[in-house]
Amino acid sequence: MKIESSQTSREKEIENLKKYKYGFSTDIESTKAPKGLSEEVIKFISNIKKEPQWLLDWRLKAYHRLKALKEPNWQKPKYPKIDYQDLYYYSAPKSFKEKPKSLDDLDPKLLETYKKLGIPLQEQKRLNNIAVDAVFDSVSVATTFKDKLTEKGIIFCSISEAVQKHPELVKKYLGSVIPLSDHFFATLNSAVFTDGSFVYVPPGVKCPMELSTYFRINASDTGQFERTLIIADKGSYVSYLEGCTAPMRDENQLHAANVELVALDDAEIKYSTVQNWYPGDKDGKGGIYNFVTKRGLCKGKNSKISWTQVETGSAITWKYPSCILKGDNSIGEFYSIAITNNHQKADTGTKMIHLGKNTKSKIISKGISAGFSDMTYRGLVDISKKANNSRNYTQCDSLLMGNKCGAHTIPYIKNKNSDSNLAHEATTSKISEEQLHYCQQRGLNSEEAVGLIVNGFCKEVLQQLPMEFAVEAQKLVGISLEGSVG
Amino acid sequence: MEERLKIDFEKSFKNSSFSTKNINIKKEFLNKFIKEGLPNKSLENWKFSDISQIIKKEIGDLSFYNDISAPSKIDPSIYLNGLEQNSIVFVNGRPEKIDFQFEEKNKLEILDDFELNKDYSDINSLINLNNAFVDKSFKIVVKENYSFKKPLVIYHYTNKKVKSKNINLRLNFILEKNSSLKLIDVLNDASEKNFINTFYNFKINQDAILKNYKIDIKNNSNIKYIFTNIEQEKNSLSETFIASSGSDFIKNEINCNLNGEHSSAFVNGIFSLNKQKHHEIRTSINHLTEHTKSSQLIKSVLENDAKAVYQGKIYVSSKAQKTDGYQLSKAILLDETTEFNAKPELEIYADDVKCSHGSASGSLNENSIFYLMSRGLNYKEAKELLISGFLLDVIEKITDSEIKSLIKKMIGSQE
């Protein structure tokens, strides 16, 4: 009897998991900028955020540059043309005219939302030692554990706050990794970015806890353009997590964020993402277009930047978290799991640009496609003339489930230095019948067996995630593939 | 360039016997080419080799009209020694000699009339250029159940009479059921600064075997593009070997469609480059049905401002279950001035497949050199031994032993 009941509860659990559980929307009044993209809208955003003149000028420069840029179209997943005049570029909960001083002033509806998402903002309820910056549509709603971080001299706040309180740092580093006129989406972001996180870790400080941002798109017809800037000063260390969800809507929503990381001498930044934007329904209707520019600069000697990403959501994921290895002996790492199911599409990978001597990079990418989805790994390893004794190791494996989906690998390898060593490997395969048979023989049903094998396939990457995230990511891997077997 | 093209185009068919229909088709191709121009690096396939810039820089003003009415003498030194062979000799793009002395005449068919059709119009602008200006298209048919007794050697020879010219060549081969052909292309140039644009088309029917060896080892300053299209039916096999080292610029492009079950394609190549040479191999192996196999191995040794590019693609359609695709490229960069670019690409739509690719590049292993030197070799000898060992791997893949030893000799004498 007992077994039976546990089975039904398991079935229920699966049934629950199959649905996109973050698909609710919060009914909250919001202030929006006028629809469309224009100088006025940019001035509106800048004004509402009480930004200094230099930042407004910077935004306008980006806006004028944008007019000359064309939307790129070399990517594998094609999408219908986006009407940039039909979007809201700013949306904030109405209660946000003034940023609340403490959580007590926060709209209870917002607190409720984050509780539903599993991100309690009240510190005492938080079991783990993670400081969270929660971003709701275009604004940062709360940052936790601030005092504890301030004690160490660590600045962790929303970027709007940083512009007010630490303008010298923002001015120095904003756009230093992703230049204003980098490419279409990055430039768009530079013109209209609304909020995001700012982290500065002073020299020699090891950040005592994981820093985390939780992004949530709520309002419809909005694009989310957040900007994250992380600076690790000499000899410091920081680990940063990013999570994202959005409500279920029939239309596609654009998310074009910019993330810049700067690591000075001997500093290390670890950036982990669990991306679970709404992927659209079974027939590919709706979902988020996740066109994000993420780039890290290993500016100093012996610095290290490590990207880890678990990409399970979004209708289209199109991003290449990259490392520019400028400092001698710097290290860049990229660990990625990308899972596409139903009609999801992904074109993701990394760029490792070796400029300094003795630089090392490592790329581990695991792609899993199921249903009607399409997945592309696209990566660049570029070893410049002066990057003596550089090393790169790349491994990208793909797993296919069914013959309606696709898995592609497009690595670009450029080597201009005879002293360097590059190795690239890629394989594509399916789950073998023997492995499945073995697991089923041991009493697992076929879905559990696939889950186990897939988790094994992804293990190398999952290991790189911080503990709390790893468990969640593992679950997510399982959920994303539900219904793709059999 | 447009004016020049139009004038040269008028000249090109003044003395020839093209039908009005053919002329109209040619005009269409010409207009297409004028519209697109020479490929440049904004096109994905030409990203690493901007042929438009290269031609501009190395040749400058290119003339498209190549008068082949007058015969030329064949320099006897171009022949490969020590090999019983059938031969076709092209001098400056004009066929001067066709000799099938070892074969049964009724088992093959040689047609040199020009049949133009609109196929192959969407490949790239160089193929359009080829279609617009080519004078003669050879068609060689190997009849059912016939195997060539001796290899066929095609000599692509140019002499000093041509300069800054665009030479277009077109060859079609049809291998009927259960036939086989060994084909050696020897590129041999005494001319300078020409752009030679060659288009090969192979149709390999059921159970037929094609072995094609393309050898470009004589130093010359010409710019070359060779496009090879291979269509393979059931149980057929193709083996392509490319030795790429002589020309200033050469791009070998192979498009192979595996249309029939159990067909297989092998592409092997070596780059041995120095002195600012820039070579590229681009392959696209399309697995279009079940149980097909392909394997590619490319090795490069680069020195002295040389640049090698390998773009290899394995495409597996959703029908092509049980595909086995393999691809490996390795490069040794001997000094700071060289560059190796690779883009090994997999595009896969079927799940029950085994596909992998690998790419590695780096310097010579110091430990291996040390080992050899400790055994009494000097540095230069040790280096040479390691390089020839590295390249030998690819040459060993040649399945015809006679041709293998011939190529070994040719490459060996070069170093």
PDB file of all heavy atoms in Angstrom, chain A residues 290-306:
ATOM      1  N   ASN A 290      16.101  35.551 -25.351  1.00  0.00           N
ATOM      2  CA  ASN A 290      17.170  35.863 -24.410  1.00  0.00           C
ATOM      3  C   ASN A 290      18.440  36.205 -25.189  1.00  0.00           C
ATOM      4  O   ASN A 290      19.235  35.337 -25.518  1.00  0.00           O
ATOM      5  CB  ASN A 290      17.379  34.643 -23.498  1.00  0.00           C
ATOM      6  CG  ASN A 290      18.310  34.924 -22.364  1.00  0.00           C
ATOM      7  OD1 ASN A 290      18.397  36.055 -21.887  1.00  0.00           O
ATOM      8  ND2 ASN A 290      19.030  33.904 -21.923  1.00  0.00           N
ATOM      9  N   PHE A 291      18.602  37.484 -25.521  1.00  0.00           N
ATOM     10  CA  PHE A 291      19.758  37.921 -26.318  1.00  0.00           C
ATOM     11  C   PHE A 291      20.680  38.726 -25.411  1.00  0.00           C
ATOM     12  O   PHE A 291      20.557  39.948 -25.322  1.00  0.00           O
ATOM     13  CB  PHE A 291      19.317  38.794 -27.501  1.00  0.00           C
ATOM     14  CG  PHE A 291      18.349  38.126 -28.438  1.00  0.00           C
ATOM     15  CD1 PHE A 291      17.606  38.876 -29.340  1.00  0.00           C
ATOM     16  CD2 PHE A 291      18.195  36.753 -28.444  1.00  0.00           C
ATOM     17  CE1 PHE A 291      16.721  38.269 -30.219  1.00  0.00           C
ATOM     18  CE2 PHE A 291      17.311  36.134 -29.318  1.00  0.00           C
ATOM     19  CZ  PHE A 291      16.559  36.896 -30.202  1.00  0.00           C
ATOM     20  N   VAL A 292      21.555  38.045 -24.750  1.00  0.00           N
ATOM     21  CA  VAL A 292      22.323  38.672 -23.689  1.00  0.00           C
ATOM     22  C   VAL A 292      23.790  38.783 -24.094  1.00  0.00           C
ATOM     23  O   VAL A 292      24.315  37.895 -24.754  1.00  0.00           O
ATOM     24  CB  VAL A 292      22.192  37.832 -22.407  1.00  0.00           C
ATOM     25  CG1 VAL A 292      23.011  38.403 -21.290  1.00  0.00           C
ATOM     26  CG2 VAL A 292      20.738  37.740 -22.004  1.00  0.00           C
ATOM     27  N   THR A 293      24.411  39.870 -23.720  1.00  0.00           N
ATOM     28  CA  THR A 293      25.847  40.018 -23.958  1.00  0.00           C
ATOM     29  C   THR A 293      26.562  39.926 -22.623  1.00  0.00           C
ATOM     30  O   THR A 293      26.332  40.744 -21.743  1.00  0.00           O
ATOM     31  CB  THR A 293      26.151  41.385 -24.596  1.00  0.00           C
ATOM     32  OG1 THR A 293      25.267  41.569 -25.690  1.00  0.00           O
ATOM     33  CG2 THR A 293      27.586  41.449 -25.072  1.00  0.00           C
ATOM     34  N   LYS A 294      27.393  38.933 -22.487  1.00  0.00           N
ATOM     35  CA  LYS A 294      28.123  38.762 -21.236  1.00  0.00           C
ATOM     36  C   LYS A 294      29.598  38.683 -21.572  1.00  0.00           C
ATOM     37  O   LYS A 294      29.989  37.887 -22.431  1.00  0.00           O
ATOM     38  CB  LYS A 294      27.701  37.463 -20.550  1.00  0.00           C
ATOM     39  CG  LYS A 294      26.321  37.512 -19.978  1.00  0.00           C
ATOM     40  CD  LYS A 294      25.980  36.228 -19.262  1.00  0.00           C
ATOM     41  CE  LYS A 294      24.696  36.419 -18.496  1.00  0.00           C
ATOM     42  NZ  LYS A 294      24.220  35.194 -17.893  1.00  0.00           N
ATOM     43  N   ARG A 295      30.373  39.512 -20.913  1.00  0.00           N
ATOM     44  CA  ARG A 295      31.786  39.494 -21.246  1.00  0.00           C
ATOM     45  C   ARG A 295      32.619  39.799 -20.008  1.00  0.00           C
ATOM     46  O   ARG A 295      32.275  40.690 -19.228  1.00  0.00           O
ATOM     47  CB  ARG A 295      32.060  40.525 -22.331  1.00  0.00           C
ATOM     48  CG  ARG A 295      33.328  40.259 -23.109  1.00  0.00           C
ATOM     49  CD  ARG A 295      33.462  41.195 -24.272  1.00  0.00           C
ATOM     50  NE  ARG A 295      32.401  41.016 -25.247  1.00  0.00           N
ATOM     51  CZ  ARG A 295      32.081  41.943 -26.152  1.00  0.00           C
ATOM     52  NH1 ARG A 295      32.711  43.084 -26.199  1.00  0.00           N
ATOM     53  NH2 ARG A 295      31.106  41.722 -27.017  1.00  0.00           N
ATOM     54  N   GLY A 296      33.667  39.064 -19.839  1.00  0.00           N
ATOM     55  CA  GLY A 296      34.554  39.282 -18.699  1.00  0.00           C
ATOM     56  C   GLY A 296      35.936  39.673 -19.181  1.00  0.00           C
ATOM     57  O   GLY A 296      36.421  39.160 -20.186  1.00  0.00           O
ATOM     58  N   LEU A 297      36.544  40.581 -18.465  1.00  0.00           N
ATOM     59  CA  LEU A 297      37.894  41.005 -18.830  1.00  0.00           C
ATOM     60  C   LEU A 297      38.855  40.635 -17.703  1.00  0.00           C
ATOM     61  O   LEU A 297      38.732  41.123 -16.580  1.00  0.00           O
ATOM     62  CB  LEU A 297      37.904  42.517 -19.053  1.00  0.00           C
ATOM     63  CG  LEU A 297      39.258  43.179 -19.297  1.00  0.00           C
ATOM     64  CD1 LEU A 297      39.901  42.677 -20.574  1.00  0.00           C
ATOM     65  CD2 LEU A 297      39.110  44.689 -19.365  1.00  0.00           C
ATOM     66  N   CYS A 298      39.771  39.742 -18.001  1.00  0.00           N
ATOM     67  CA  CYS A 298      40.831  39.430 -17.041  1.00  0.00           C
ATOM     68  C   CYS A 298      41.906  40.480 -17.268  1.00  0.00           C
ATOM     69  O   CYS A 298      42.810  40.310 -18.079  1.00  0.00           O
ATOM     70  CB  CYS A 298      41.393  38.034 -17.288  1.00  0.00           C
ATOM     71  SG  CYS A 298      40.314  36.737 -16.728  1.00  0.00           S
ATOM     72  N   LYS A 299      41.757  41.585 -16.556  1.00  0.00           N
ATOM     73  CA  LYS A 299      42.587  42.737 -16.843  1.00  0.00           C
ATOM     74  C   LYS A 299      43.965  42.590 -16.222  1.00  0.00           C
ATOM     75  O   LYS A 299      44.970  43.005 -16.783  1.00  0.00           O
ATOM     76  CB  LYS A 299      41.891  43.972 -16.283  1.00  0.00           C
ATOM     77  CG  LYS A 299      42.349  45.254 -16.908  1.00  0.00           C
ATOM     78  CD  LYS A 299      41.462  46.404 -16.471  1.00  0.00           C
ATOM     79  CE  LYS A 299      41.943  47.686 -17.099  1.00  0.00           C
ATOM     80  NZ  LYS A 299      41.205  48.843 -16.600  1.00  0.00           N
ATOM     81  N   GLY A 300      43.984  42.029 -15.025  1.00  0.00           N
ATOM     82  CA  GLY A 300      45.250  41.944 -14.293  1.00  0.00           C
ATOM     83  C   GLY A 300      45.931  40.602 -14.458  1.00  0.00           C
ATOM     84  O   GLY A 300      45.373  39.651 -15.009  1.00  0.00           O
ATOM     85  N   LYS A 301      47.171  40.555 -13.956  1.00  0.00           N
ATOM     86  CA  LYS A 301      47.928  39.298 -13.976  1.00  0.00           C
ATOM     87  C   LYS A 301      47.258  38.281 -13.065  1.00  0.00           C
ATOM     88  O   LYS A 301      46.688  38.646 -12.034  1.00  0.00           O
ATOM     89  CB  LYS A 301      49.344  39.553 -13.475  1.00  0.00           C
ATOM     90  CG  LYS A 301      50.214  40.191 -14.525  1.00  0.00           C
ATOM     91  CD  LYS A 301      51.584  40.489 -13.956  1.00  0.00           C
ATOM     92  CE  LYS A 301      52.328  41.380 -14.914  1.00  0.00           C
ATOM     93  NZ  LYS A 301      53.336  42.191 -14.244  1.00  0.00           N
ATOM     94  N   ASN A 302      47.395  37.019 -13.422  1.00  0.00           N
ATOM     95  CA  ASN A 302      46.904  35.911 -12.597  1.00  0.00           C
ATOM     96  C   ASN A 302      45.423  36.004 -12.259  1.00  0.00           C
ATOM     97  O   ASN A 302      44.990  35.465 -11.243  1.00  0.00           O
ATOM     98  CB  ASN A 302      47.688  35.786 -11.285  1.00  0.00           C
ATOM     99  CG  ASN A 302      49.176  35.746 -11.519  1.00  0.00           C
ATOM    100  OD1 ASN A 302      49.635  35.102 -12.457  1.00  0.00           O
ATOM    101  ND2 ASN A 302      49.928  36.460 -10.710  1.00  0.00           N
ATOM    102  N   SER A 303      44.667  36.709 -13.026  1.00  0.00           N
ATOM    103  CA  SER A 303      43.240  36.812 -12.712  1.00  0.00           C
ATOM    104  C   SER A 303      42.500  35.633 -13.326  1.00  0.00           C
ATOM    105  O   SER A 303      43.020  34.936 -14.193  1.00  0.00           O
ATOM    106  CB  SER A 303      42.692  38.124 -13.232  1.00  0.00           C
ATOM    107  OG  SER A 303      42.988  38.242 -14.604  1.00  0.00           O
ATOM    108  N   LYS A 304      41.281  35.463 -12.853  1.00  0.00           N
ATOM    109  CA  LYS A 304      40.513  34.317 -13.344  1.00  0.00           C
ATOM    110  C   LYS A 304      39.031  34.660 -13.419  1.00  0.00           C
ATOM    111  O   LYS A 304      38.477  35.245 -12.496  1.00  0.00           O
ATOM    112  CB  LYS A 304      40.722  33.136 -12.389  1.00  0.00           C
ATOM    113  CG  LYS A 304      39.990  31.892 -12.811  1.00  0.00           C
ATOM    114  CD  LYS A 304      40.305  30.731 -11.893  1.00  0.00           C
ATOM    115  CE  LYS A 304      39.427  29.533 -12.253  1.00  0.00           C
ATOM    116  NZ  LYS A 304      39.609  28.426 -11.325  1.00  0.00           N
ATOM    117  N   ILE A 305      38.425  34.299 -14.520  1.00  0.00           N
ATOM    118  CA  ILE A 305      36.979  34.469 -14.645  1.00  0.00           C
ATOM    119  C   ILE A 305      36.389  33.140 -15.086  1.00  0.00           C
ATOM    120  O   ILE A 305      36.892  32.485 -15.996  1.00  0.00           O
ATOM    121  CB  ILE A 305      36.619  35.571 -15.662  1.00  0.00           C
ATOM    122  CG1 ILE A 305      36.950  36.941 -15.058  1.00  0.00           C
ATOM    123  CG2 ILE A 305      35.140  35.516 -16.025  1.00  0.00           C
ATOM    124  CD1 ILE A 305      36.679  38.110 -15.963  1.00  0.00           C
ATOM    125  N   SER A 306      35.352  32.749 -14.383  1.00  0.00           N
ATOM    126  CA  SER A 306      34.750  31.473 -14.704  1.00  0.00           C
ATOM    127  C   SER A 306      33.244  31.645 -14.899  1.00  0.00           C
ATOM    128  O   SER A 306      32.557  32.189 -14.053  1.00  0.00           O
ATOM    129  CB  SER A 306      35.066  30.508 -13.553  1.00  0.00           C
ATOM    130  OG  SER A 306      34.222  29.412 -13.598  1.00  0.00           O
TER     131      SER A 306
END
